[in-house]
Amino acid sequence: MNLVERKSGGFSAGGGISSGITNGPLSGLIGSFAYSQRNVFGRNKKLNLSLERGQIDSIFRLNYTDPWIDGDNKRTSRTVMVQNSRTPGTLIHGGEHPDHSPITIGRVTAGIEYSRPFRPKWSGTLGLIFQHAGARDDKGNPMIRDFYNSQLTASGNPYDDTLLAKLESVYTDSGDQSSTMFVFNVEQGLPILPEWLSFNRVTARLRQSYEIGPARLLLSASGGHVEGNFSPHEAFAIGGTNSVRGYEEGAVGSGRSYAVGSGEVSCRLFGPLEGVVFGDYGSDLGSGPTVPGDPAGARGKPGSGYGYGVGIRVDSPLGPLRLEYAFNDKQARRFHFGVGHRN
């Protein structure tokens, strides 16, 4: 027997769609290019270098992962991350006014995370992340207020600095007739320096599916709350492909708190094709005016809404391709296209 180690590094390219673009799915297309090394130093350590680029989006990311720290009997992994990104600010600070120039959110992030399984079907992550973030206009100049005079940073400076302690717990279970996923996340801003933001953010997501004869019922719910001094662009955006379908991205509300629920019934049609009927509801729980600058109130967002519709799914190597046609409670109609499972 002759064993030969295969090449562990290589280049790849791909694409996706940004959820922050509201003026049509094609304008949100993103191209990506990546280099990965899956066996650094011959010890199964992983190095990933990636670049994503769209009309507005731009993300440069460097990840180094040790999937099993030497000498640890708990299977603890360690990931070091550095990222520089530019994403649309339209979810919170978008607008239809002709004099309203587009806003982008620039972030420089660096951190370290430790993850390990701690019970059957449970895993946890503990991390420390530093973020330097602020808003820019279409020429790249820093901004502290938008067209509606809503503030864009919590500090009043062009950028906000935050040191986050992160704790995440994930439960996954897959049985013969059903599957469950639950994610609970807590983030705490540490004001080690006086100008650094201090806040606490808690989020949770639950997804439960049941096989009922030839059909599958999928129920999902998510919610969260932020307490303290946080950047307005970090508010919870409600509405869109991964939230309340029938609405544009972020068009239902922008809140300090939120809750979204969804129900879907899908049935295999033929081959990789599925048909889907769905309904969504989301609310900011009356917290929109408590976001610094009240960007949702300035834009007349309702704060709650529901949508329903039909769609088709196609299995692909990238995950499910989703095409959906939805109506909302304002009698508006909208197509949604997504890649992968809903968040």
Side-chain angles (χ1 to χ4, degrees), residues 215-216 264-270 272-278 310-314:
R216 182 168 64 95
E264 297 183 354
V265 177
S266 61
C267 186
R268 182 74 64 179
L269 299 177
F270 54 86
L273 196 66
E274 282 187 338
V276 181
V277 179
F278 61 84
V310 297
I312 57 174
R313 307 282 167 81
V314 181

Side-chain angles (χ1 to χ4, degrees), residues 226-241:
V226 183
E227 192 65 40
N229 187 27
F230 68 104
S231 303
H233 56 77
E234 298 284 0
F236 297 112
I238 310 164
T241 303

Side-chain angles (χ1 to χ4, degrees), residues 219-289:
L219 303 175
S220 62
S222 63
H225 176 71
V226 183
E227 192 65 40
N229 187 27
F230 68 104
S231 303
H233 56 77
E234 298 284 0
F236 297 112
I238 310 164
T241 303
N242 289 312
S243 180
V244 180
R245 287 162 286 191
Y247 280 90
E248 291 186 353
E249 303 295 329
V252 174
S254 307
R256 182 182 289 265
S257 305
Y258 89 104
V260 171
S262 175
E264 297 183 354
V265 177
S266 61
C267 186
R268 182 74 64 179
L269 299 177
F270 54 86
L273 196 66
E274 282 187 338
V276 181
V277 179
F278 61 84
D280 306 322
Y281 175 80
S283 171
D284 65 5
L285 305 177
S287 66

Side-chain angles (χ1 to χ4, degrees), residues 16-31:
I17 296 177
S18 170
S19 63
I21 305 294
T22 61
N23 58 346
L26 294 181
S27 61
L29 288 176
I30 302 173

Side-chain angles (χ1 to χ4, degrees), residues 37-53:
Q37 177 57 251
R38 298 183 295 275
N39 193 25
V40 179
F41 309 127
R43 301 299 298 273
N44 200 34
K45 296 175 174 61
K46 297 172 174 57
L47 177 68
N48 290 282
L49 180 68
S50 64
L51 174 65
E52 298 179 5
R53 181 70 180 175

